[in-house]
Amino acid sequence: MLIVKKFGGSSVANKERIFNVARRCVEEYKKGNQVVVVLSAMGDTTDELTAMAADINPNARKRELDMLLSTGEQVSVSLASMACESLGVPAISLNAFQVAMHTTSTYGNARFKKIDSQRIRHELESGKIVFVTGFQGVNKYDDVTTLGRGGSDTTAVALAAALHADACEIYTDVDGVYTADPRVVPNAKKLKEVSYDEMLEMASLGAKVLHNRSVELAKKYDVQLVVLSSLEEAPGTVVKEETKMEQMLVSGVTADKNTARIAIIGVKDEPGIAFKIFSMLAKKGINVDIILQSIGRDNKKDISFTVASTALKETLEVLEENKGRITAERIESDDQVAKVSVVGAGMQTNAGVASDMFEVLYNVGVNIRMISTSDIRITVLIDEADVDKAVKAVHAKFIEED
Ligand code: ADP
Ligand code: ASP
Ligand code: MG
Protein backbone atom coordinates (compact mmCIF):
# COMPACT_ATOMS: atom_id res chain seq x y z
CA MET A 1 0.00 0.00 0.00
CA LEU A 2 1.03 3.60 -0.58
CA ILE A 3 0.16 5.76 2.39
CA VAL A 4 0.33 9.55 2.66
CA LYS A 5 0.60 10.83 6.23
CA LYS A 6 0.55 14.46 7.29
CA PHE A 7 1.69 15.79 10.65
CA GLY A 8 0.90 19.34 11.76
CA GLY A 9 3.12 21.86 13.53
CA SER A 10 2.48 20.79 17.11
CA SER A 11 3.17 17.16 16.13
CA VAL A 12 6.75 18.08 15.12
CA ALA A 13 7.30 20.87 17.65
CA ASN A 14 10.47 19.44 19.24
CA LYS A 15 13.04 16.66 19.05
CA GLU A 16 10.88 14.18 20.96
CA ARG A 17 7.86 14.82 18.72
CA ILE A 18 9.98 14.53 15.58
CA PHE A 19 11.18 11.13 16.78
CA ASN A 20 7.57 10.18 17.55
CA VAL A 21 6.68 10.99 13.91
CA ALA A 22 9.73 9.16 12.61
CA ARG A 23 8.87 6.07 14.68
CA ARG A 24 5.29 6.00 13.43
CA CYS A 25 6.50 6.27 9.83
CA VAL A 26 9.11 3.56 10.36
CA GLU A 27 6.42 1.24 11.80
CA GLU A 28 4.30 1.76 8.71
CA TYR A 29 7.31 1.20 6.46
CA LYS A 30 8.19 -2.03 8.25
CA LYS A 31 4.72 -3.38 7.50
CA GLY A 32 5.84 -3.31 3.86
CA ASN A 33 4.09 -0.08 2.89
CA GLN A 34 5.37 2.85 0.86
CA VAL A 35 5.24 5.95 3.03
CA VAL A 36 5.05 9.60 1.94
CA VAL A 37 5.01 12.10 4.80
CA VAL A 38 3.96 15.73 4.57
CA LEU A 39 5.09 17.95 7.44
CA SER A 40 4.25 21.43 8.65
CA ALA A 41 6.78 23.78 10.19
CA MET A 42 7.78 23.05 13.79
CA GLY A 43 5.45 24.52 16.45
CA ASP A 44 4.89 28.23 16.01
CA THR A 45 7.63 28.68 13.41
CA THR A 46 5.34 30.14 10.75
CA ASP A 47 3.99 32.74 13.21
CA GLU A 48 7.53 33.59 14.30
CA LEU A 49 8.73 34.02 10.73
CA THR A 50 5.72 36.23 9.98
CA ALA A 51 6.54 38.39 13.00
CA MET A 52 10.20 38.67 11.94
CA ALA A 53 9.13 39.87 8.50
CA ALA A 54 6.72 42.43 9.97
CA ASP A 55 9.50 43.73 12.17
CA ILE A 56 11.86 44.24 9.22
CA ASN A 57 9.28 45.57 6.76
CA PRO A 58 5.55 45.73 7.50
CA ASN A 59 4.89 46.15 3.78
CA ALA A 60 7.09 43.29 2.62
CA ARG A 61 6.23 41.93 -0.81
CA LYS A 62 4.25 38.69 -0.75
CA ARG A 63 6.89 37.00 -2.89
CA GLU A 64 9.51 37.61 -0.24
CA LEU A 65 7.15 36.51 2.52
CA ASP A 66 6.57 33.20 0.75
CA MET A 67 10.30 32.72 0.31
CA LEU A 68 10.67 33.19 4.06
CA LEU A 69 7.65 31.17 5.28
CA SER A 70 8.52 28.18 3.10
CA THR A 71 11.75 27.68 5.04
CA GLY A 72 9.86 26.44 8.14
CA GLU A 73 8.75 23.27 6.41
CA GLN A 74 12.25 22.60 5.04
CA VAL A 75 13.54 22.49 8.60
CA SER A 76 11.00 19.90 9.72
CA VAL A 77 11.29 17.57 6.72
CA SER A 78 15.06 17.45 6.81
CA LEU A 79 15.16 16.83 10.57
CA ALA A 80 12.50 14.11 10.32
CA SER A 81 14.39 12.43 7.52
CA MET A 82 17.54 12.46 9.66
CA ALA A 83 15.53 11.01 12.56
CA CYS A 84 14.35 8.10 10.37
CA GLU A 85 17.87 7.38 9.21
CA SER A 86 19.08 7.37 12.81
CA LEU A 87 16.41 4.70 13.41
CA GLY A 88 17.98 2.70 10.61
CA VAL A 89 15.52 3.32 7.78
CA PRO A 90 16.55 5.15 4.60
CA ALA A 91 14.66 8.41 4.08
CA ILE A 92 14.85 11.57 1.99
CA SER A 93 13.37 15.05 2.32
CA LEU A 94 12.13 16.98 -0.70
CA ASN A 95 10.87 20.53 -1.01
CA ALA A 96 8.13 21.66 -3.40
CA PHE A 97 10.67 22.59 -6.06
CA GLN A 98 12.36 19.19 -5.97
CA VAL A 99 9.07 17.30 -6.22
CA ALA A 100 7.82 19.86 -8.70
CA MET A 101 4.52 20.84 -7.15
CA HIS A 102 3.25 23.46 -9.57
CA THR A 103 0.89 26.16 -8.35
CA THR A 104 -0.79 29.32 -9.56
CA SER A 105 1.22 32.53 -9.09
CA THR A 106 -0.76 34.13 -6.26
CA TYR A 107 1.76 34.44 -3.46
CA GLY A 108 0.34 33.62 -0.06
CA ASN A 109 -2.74 31.96 -1.51
CA ALA A 110 -1.52 29.73 -4.34
CA ARG A 111 -3.45 26.73 -5.65
CA PHE A 112 -2.06 23.49 -7.02
CA LYS A 113 -2.15 23.10 -10.78
CA LYS A 114 -0.08 20.00 -11.39
CA ILE A 115 2.13 17.72 -9.35
CA ASP A 116 4.89 15.58 -10.84
CA SER A 117 4.91 12.19 -9.18
CA GLN A 118 8.08 10.87 -10.83
CA ARG A 119 10.66 11.93 -8.26
CA ILE A 120 8.63 10.69 -5.30
CA ARG A 121 7.93 7.36 -7.03
CA HIS A 122 11.60 6.96 -7.79
CA GLU A 123 12.56 7.54 -4.15
CA LEU A 124 9.82 5.18 -2.90
CA GLU A 125 10.96 2.49 -5.28
CA SER A 126 14.49 2.80 -4.00
CA GLY A 127 13.13 1.90 -0.57
CA LYS A 128 13.01 5.30 1.13
CA ILE A 129 10.48 7.02 3.31
CA VAL A 130 9.82 10.32 1.53
CA PHE A 131 9.28 13.53 3.51
CA VAL A 132 7.72 16.42 1.58
CA THR A 133 7.38 20.05 2.69
CA GLY A 134 3.74 21.01 3.22
CA PHE A 135 2.15 24.38 2.51
CA GLN A 136 4.18 25.34 -0.55
CA GLY A 137 4.61 25.09 -4.30
CA VAL A 138 6.43 26.59 -7.25
CA ASN A 139 4.88 28.97 -9.77
CA LYS A 140 5.58 29.57 -13.45
CA TYR A 141 8.38 32.00 -12.60
CA ASP A 142 10.13 29.22 -10.62
CA ASP A 143 9.37 31.17 -7.45
CA VAL A 144 8.26 29.61 -4.21
CA THR A 145 4.62 30.13 -3.33
CA THR A 146 2.62 29.25 -0.22
CA LEU A 147 -0.93 27.94 -0.06
CA GLY A 148 -2.28 30.02 2.82
CA ARG A 149 -2.22 29.25 6.55
CA GLY A 150 -3.00 25.65 7.34
CA GLY A 151 -2.15 24.64 3.77
CA SER A 152 -0.13 21.51 4.58
CA ASP A 153 -3.34 19.48 4.72
CA THR A 154 -3.90 20.47 1.10
CA THR A 155 -0.40 19.34 0.15
CA ALA A 156 -1.15 15.92 1.65
CA VAL A 157 -4.42 15.51 -0.23
CA ALA A 158 -2.91 16.76 -3.49
CA LEU A 159 -0.09 14.23 -3.17
CA ALA A 160 -2.50 11.43 -2.26
CA ALA A 161 -4.48 12.23 -5.41
CA ALA A 162 -1.40 12.53 -7.65
CA LEU A 163 0.11 9.28 -6.36
CA HIS A 164 -3.24 7.41 -6.24
CA ALA A 165 -2.45 6.63 -2.62
CA ASP A 166 -4.39 3.93 -0.77
CA ALA A 167 -4.81 6.10 2.32
CA CYS A 168 -4.43 9.72 3.37
CA GLU A 169 -4.02 10.21 7.11
CA ILE A 170 -4.00 13.64 8.74
CA TYR A 171 -2.37 13.50 12.18
CA THR A 172 -2.92 16.43 14.50
CA ASP A 173 -3.16 17.46 18.16
CA VAL A 174 -6.78 16.33 18.56
CA ASP A 175 -7.99 12.80 17.81
CA GLY A 176 -10.54 13.66 15.16
CA VAL A 177 -13.13 16.13 13.97
CA TYR A 178 -15.47 17.20 16.77
CA THR A 179 -18.92 18.76 16.77
CA ALA A 180 -17.19 22.00 17.85
CA ASP A 181 -13.65 23.05 18.71
CA PRO A 182 -12.98 20.83 21.75
CA ARG A 183 -10.82 23.58 23.22
CA VAL A 184 -13.83 25.91 23.36
CA VAL A 185 -16.64 23.42 24.00
CA PRO A 186 -15.51 20.70 26.43
CA ASN A 187 -18.71 18.71 25.71
CA ALA A 188 -17.98 18.50 21.99
CA LYS A 189 -18.35 14.99 20.59
CA LYS A 190 -16.02 13.24 18.20
CA LEU A 191 -17.60 12.43 14.82
CA LYS A 192 -16.94 8.92 13.50
CA GLU A 193 -17.61 10.09 9.97
CA VAL A 194 -18.40 13.34 8.24
CA SER A 195 -19.26 13.98 4.59
CA TYR A 196 -17.05 16.07 2.31
CA ASP A 197 -19.76 18.70 1.98
CA GLU A 198 -20.25 19.11 5.71
CA MET A 199 -16.51 19.10 6.38
CA LEU A 200 -15.96 21.65 3.62
CA GLU A 201 -18.48 24.01 5.21
CA MET A 202 -17.02 23.45 8.68
CA ALA A 203 -13.45 24.01 7.48
CA SER A 204 -14.41 27.11 5.51
CA LEU A 205 -16.25 28.52 8.51
CA GLY A 206 -13.50 28.23 11.07
CA ALA A 207 -12.96 24.56 12.06
CA LYS A 208 -9.24 24.81 11.35
CA VAL A 209 -8.67 21.10 11.99
CA LEU A 210 -8.58 20.78 8.17
CA HIS A 211 -7.63 23.39 5.56
CA ASN A 212 -10.79 23.99 3.54
CA ARG A 213 -9.06 23.50 0.20
CA SER A 214 -7.82 20.07 1.31
CA VAL A 215 -11.45 19.01 1.67
CA GLU A 216 -12.35 20.55 -1.67
CA LEU A 217 -9.54 18.57 -3.34
CA ALA A 218 -10.41 15.38 -1.47
CA LYS A 219 -13.97 15.59 -2.76
CA LYS A 220 -12.86 16.38 -6.28
CA TYR A 221 -10.41 13.46 -6.49
CA ASP A 222 -12.32 11.12 -4.21
CA VAL A 223 -9.55 10.89 -1.62
CA GLN A 224 -10.91 9.46 1.62
CA LEU A 225 -9.33 11.24 4.61
CA VAL A 226 -8.82 10.13 8.17
CA VAL A 227 -8.13 12.70 10.89
CA LEU A 228 -6.20 11.18 13.81
CA SER A 229 -4.14 12.07 16.86
CA SER A 230 -0.37 12.02 16.40
CA LEU A 231 0.12 11.17 20.07
CA GLU A 232 -2.62 8.72 21.03
CA GLU A 233 -3.82 5.53 19.39
CA ALA A 234 -7.51 6.25 18.94
CA PRO A 235 -9.88 5.80 16.01
CA GLY A 236 -10.16 9.11 14.20
CA THR A 237 -12.77 10.71 11.96
CA VAL A 238 -13.30 9.54 8.40
CA VAL A 239 -14.11 12.24 5.85
CA LYS A 240 -15.80 10.78 2.78
CA GLU A 241 -18.55 11.17 0.23
CA GLU A 242 -21.57 9.68 1.95
CA THR A 243 -21.94 8.83 5.59
CA LYS A 244 -23.70 5.62 6.47
CA MET A 245 -24.93 6.82 9.80
CA GLU A 246 -28.30 8.39 10.13
CA GLN A 247 -27.82 12.05 9.37
CA MET A 248 -27.52 14.27 12.37
CA LEU A 249 -29.51 17.45 12.12
CA VAL A 250 -26.42 19.48 12.98
CA SER A 251 -22.98 17.89 12.74
CA GLY A 252 -20.92 20.87 13.80
CA VAL A 253 -20.80 24.36 15.24
CA THR A 254 -17.94 26.57 14.11
CA ALA A 255 -16.57 30.02 14.83
CA ASP A 256 -14.32 32.21 12.74
CA LYS A 257 -12.78 35.25 14.39
CA ASN A 258 -10.70 36.02 11.32
CA THR A 259 -13.58 38.08 10.00
CA ALA A 260 -14.07 41.78 9.33
CA ARG A 261 -17.13 43.64 8.10
CA ILE A 262 -16.98 46.42 5.54
CA ALA A 263 -19.83 48.76 4.73
CA ILE A 264 -19.82 50.88 1.59
CA ILE A 265 -22.31 53.62 2.30
CA GLY A 266 -24.33 55.67 -0.16
CA VAL A 267 -23.42 54.17 -3.52
CA LYS A 268 -25.67 54.96 -6.50
CA ASP A 269 -28.66 52.63 -6.84
CA GLU A 270 -27.93 51.68 -10.44
CA PRO A 271 -26.82 48.59 -12.38
CA GLY A 272 -23.16 47.62 -12.32
CA ILE A 273 -22.07 48.92 -8.91
CA ALA A 274 -21.88 45.53 -7.19
CA PHE A 275 -20.07 44.17 -10.24
CA LYS A 276 -17.46 46.98 -10.07
CA ILE A 277 -16.83 46.47 -6.37
CA PHE A 278 -16.58 42.71 -6.32
CA SER A 279 -14.68 42.27 -9.58
CA MET A 280 -12.07 44.74 -8.30
CA LEU A 281 -11.64 42.67 -5.14
CA ALA A 282 -11.63 39.38 -7.04
CA LYS A 283 -8.80 40.66 -9.24
CA LYS A 284 -6.73 41.20 -6.11
CA GLY A 285 -7.50 37.66 -4.95
CA ILE A 286 -9.60 38.92 -2.03
CA ASN A 287 -12.32 36.46 -1.01
CA VAL A 288 -15.61 38.03 -0.05
CA ASP A 289 -18.06 36.17 2.12
CA ILE A 290 -21.48 37.29 3.40
CA ILE A 291 -22.87 40.09 1.22
CA LEU A 292 -25.79 42.27 2.19
CA GLN A 293 -27.31 45.07 0.12
CA SER A 294 -29.78 47.53 1.58
CA ILE A 295 -32.95 48.53 -0.21
CA GLY A 296 -32.42 51.68 -2.26
CA ARG A 297 -33.62 55.08 -1.02
CA ASP A 298 -33.17 58.46 -2.72
CA ASN A 299 -31.35 56.61 -5.48
CA LYS A 300 -28.69 55.46 -2.99
CA LYS A 301 -27.99 52.15 -1.29
CA ASP A 302 -25.41 50.54 1.02
CA ILE A 303 -23.47 47.36 0.38
CA SER A 304 -21.86 45.48 3.27
CA PHE A 305 -19.82 42.33 3.17
CA THR A 306 -17.26 40.37 5.14
CA VAL A 307 -13.64 39.49 4.33
CA ALA A 308 -10.94 37.77 6.37
CA SER A 309 -9.45 40.21 8.90
CA THR A 310 -6.08 39.42 7.40
CA ALA A 311 -7.34 40.89 4.09
CA LEU A 312 -8.97 43.98 5.64
CA LYS A 313 -6.10 46.41 5.10
CA GLU A 314 -5.71 45.51 1.44
CA THR A 315 -9.48 45.58 0.87
CA LEU A 316 -9.79 49.07 2.34
CA GLU A 317 -6.87 50.31 0.26
CA VAL A 318 -8.46 49.05 -2.96
CA LEU A 319 -11.85 50.53 -2.06
CA GLU A 320 -10.46 53.92 -1.00
CA GLU A 321 -8.47 54.18 -4.22
CA ASN A 322 -11.62 53.53 -6.23
CA LYS A 323 -14.10 55.39 -4.04
CA GLY A 324 -15.11 57.68 -6.91
CA ARG A 325 -15.56 54.89 -9.42
CA ILE A 326 -17.86 52.96 -7.13
CA THR A 327 -19.71 56.18 -6.20
CA ALA A 328 -19.27 55.61 -2.45
CA GLU A 329 -19.99 58.37 0.06
CA ARG A 330 -18.20 56.61 2.87
CA ILE A 331 -16.46 53.33 3.68
CA GLU A 332 -16.64 51.87 7.18
CA SER A 333 -15.10 48.75 8.66
CA ASP A 334 -15.26 46.72 11.84
CA ASP A 335 -12.72 44.06 12.78
CA GLN A 336 -14.32 43.08 16.08
CA VAL A 337 -16.84 40.70 14.55
CA ALA A 338 -16.90 36.93 14.04
CA LYS A 339 -18.95 34.30 12.26
CA VAL A 340 -20.71 31.51 14.09
CA SER A 341 -22.21 28.74 11.98
CA VAL A 342 -24.13 25.53 12.34
CA VAL A 343 -23.50 22.91 9.66
CA GLY A 344 -25.45 19.75 8.95
CA ALA A 345 -26.72 17.81 5.96
CA GLY A 346 -29.88 17.04 7.95
CA MET A 347 -30.94 20.68 7.69
CA GLN A 348 -31.96 20.14 4.09
CA THR A 349 -35.06 18.29 5.23
CA ASN A 350 -35.71 20.07 8.51
CA ALA A 351 -37.30 23.46 8.75
CA GLY A 352 -36.85 25.54 11.86
CA VAL A 353 -33.10 25.24 12.48
CA ALA A 354 -32.58 28.91 11.69
CA SER A 355 -35.31 30.12 14.01
CA ASP A 356 -34.05 27.79 16.79
CA MET A 357 -30.57 29.20 16.36
CA PHE A 358 -31.80 32.79 16.50
CA GLU A 359 -33.82 31.96 19.62
CA VAL A 360 -30.80 30.49 21.38
CA LEU A 361 -28.75 33.58 20.57
CA TYR A 362 -31.56 35.84 21.77
CA ASN A 363 -31.75 33.88 25.03
CA VAL A 364 -28.05 34.52 25.75
CA GLY A 365 -28.31 38.15 24.67
CA VAL A 366 -26.23 37.95 21.49
CA ASN A 367 -27.03 40.45 18.76
CA ILE A 368 -26.99 39.24 15.13
CA ARG A 369 -25.52 41.66 12.61
CA MET A 370 -25.72 39.67 9.40
CA ILE A 371 -27.14 36.29 8.35
CA SER A 372 -26.24 33.97 5.52
CA THR A 373 -27.48 30.46 4.72
CA SER A 374 -26.94 27.55 2.34
CA ASP A 375 -28.91 24.32 2.29
CA ILE A 376 -26.58 22.73 4.85
CA ARG A 377 -25.52 25.72 6.95
CA ILE A 378 -26.60 28.85 8.78
CA THR A 379 -24.07 31.57 9.53
CA VAL A 380 -24.52 34.63 11.70
CA LEU A 381 -22.16 37.54 12.10
CA ILE A 382 -21.89 38.66 15.74
CA ASP A 383 -19.56 40.68 17.99
CA GLU A 384 -16.26 38.90 18.50
CA ALA A 385 -16.60 39.27 22.28
CA ASP A 386 -19.73 37.07 22.20
CA VAL A 387 -18.25 34.17 20.23
CA ASP A 388 -17.49 31.60 22.93
CA LYS A 389 -20.82 32.23 24.65
CA ALA A 390 -22.68 31.87 21.34
CA VAL A 391 -20.86 28.68 20.29
CA LYS A 392 -21.48 27.02 23.67
CA ALA A 393 -25.16 27.95 23.66
CA VAL A 394 -25.76 26.84 20.07
CA HIS A 395 -23.83 23.59 20.65
CA ALA A 396 -25.85 22.87 23.82
CA LYS A 397 -29.10 23.34 21.93
CA PHE A 398 -28.38 21.36 18.78
CA ILE A 399 -25.92 18.69 19.87
CA GLU A 400 -26.09 18.17 23.61
CA GLU A 401 -29.92 18.20 23.69
CA ASP A 402 -30.16 15.85 20.73
P1 ADP B 1 -2.13 21.08 12.79
O1 ADP B 1 -1.01 21.92 13.26
O2 ADP B 1 -1.98 19.64 13.13
O3 ADP B 1 -2.47 21.31 11.36
P2 ADP B 1 -4.31 22.80 13.60
O4 ADP B 1 -4.00 23.66 14.78
O5 ADP B 1 -4.26 23.41 12.25
O6 ADP B 1 -3.40 21.51 13.67
O7 ADP B 1 -5.76 22.14 13.77
C1 ADP B 1 -6.07 21.42 14.94
C2 ADP B 1 -6.88 22.30 15.88
O8 ADP B 1 -8.14 22.58 15.30
C3 ADP B 1 -7.22 21.64 17.20
O9 ADP B 1 -6.22 21.83 18.13
C4 ADP B 1 -8.55 22.30 17.58
O10 ADP B 1 -8.38 23.25 18.62
C5 ADP B 1 -8.98 23.04 16.33
N1 ADP B 1 -10.37 22.77 15.96
C6 ADP B 1 -11.27 23.73 15.60
N2 ADP B 1 -12.45 23.19 15.33
C7 ADP B 1 -12.33 21.85 15.50
C8 ADP B 1 -13.23 20.75 15.36
N3 ADP B 1 -14.48 20.93 14.97
N4 ADP B 1 -12.76 19.51 15.61
C9 ADP B 1 -11.48 19.32 15.98
N5 ADP B 1 -10.59 20.33 16.13
C10 ADP B 1 -10.99 21.58 15.90
N1 ASP C 1 3.09 25.98 8.64
C1 ASP C 1 1.93 26.50 7.95
C2 ASP C 1 1.04 27.28 8.91
O1 ASP C 1 1.35 27.38 10.09
C3 ASP C 1 1.16 25.44 7.22
C4 ASP C 1 0.42 24.45 8.07
O2 ASP C 1 0.68 24.35 9.27
O3 ASP C 1 -0.41 23.72 7.52
O4 ASP C 1 0.06 27.82 8.49
MG1 MG D 1 -3.58 22.81 10.36
Side-chain angles (χ1 to χ4, degrees), residues 6 8-9 171-174 176-178 180-183 202 207-209:
K6 178 260 169 177
Y171 291 87
T172 182
D173 57 1
V174 283
V177 179
Y178 279 72
D181 186 341
R183 295 184 205 286
M202 282 171 67
K208 71 165 185 165
V209 61

Side-chain angles (χ1 to χ4, degrees), residues 157 166 168 170 177 191-202 210 214-227 236-247 251 345 376:
V157 176
D166 300 290
C168 183
I170 310 288
V177 179
L191 297 166
K192 279 201 182 79
E193 302 178 338
V194 61
S195 70
Y196 290 130
D197 288 336
E198 288 170 303
M199 192 64 235
L200 184 55
E201 293 277 15
M202 282 171 67
L210 285 176
S214 73
V215 186
E216 203 176 273
L217 268 190
K219 180 177 158 81
K220 185 167 171 193
Y221 293 102
D222 206 13
V223 176
Q224 188 166 309
L225 300 179
V226 192
V227 179
T237 301
V238 179
V239 187
K240 59 185 196 173
E241 185 62 54
E242 286 295 326
T243 57
K244 281 193 301 295
M245 289 187 305
E246 184 150 3
Q247 266 170 2
S251 43
I376 64 164

Side-chain angles (χ1 to χ4, degrees), residues 39-65:
L39 298 183
S40 296
M42 293 170 69
D44 297 326
T45 302
T46 311
D47 289 333
E48 287 159 14
L49 292 172
T50 307
M52 278 168 78
D55 190 32
I56 297 269
N57 178 355
N59 298 313
R61 278 189 299 127
K62 287 186 179 171
R63 180 205 178 272
E64 300 307 319
L65 274 173

Side-chain angles (χ1 to χ4, degrees), residues 92-114:
I92 187 168
S93 58
L94 299 173
N95 66 19
F97 201 91
Q98 292 165 316
V99 173
M101 303 191 76
H102 304 275
T103 68
T104 54
S105 309
T106 325
Y107 300 105
N109 194 23
R111 286 174 167 264
F112 284 120
K113 285 170 75 177
K114 184 175 157 283

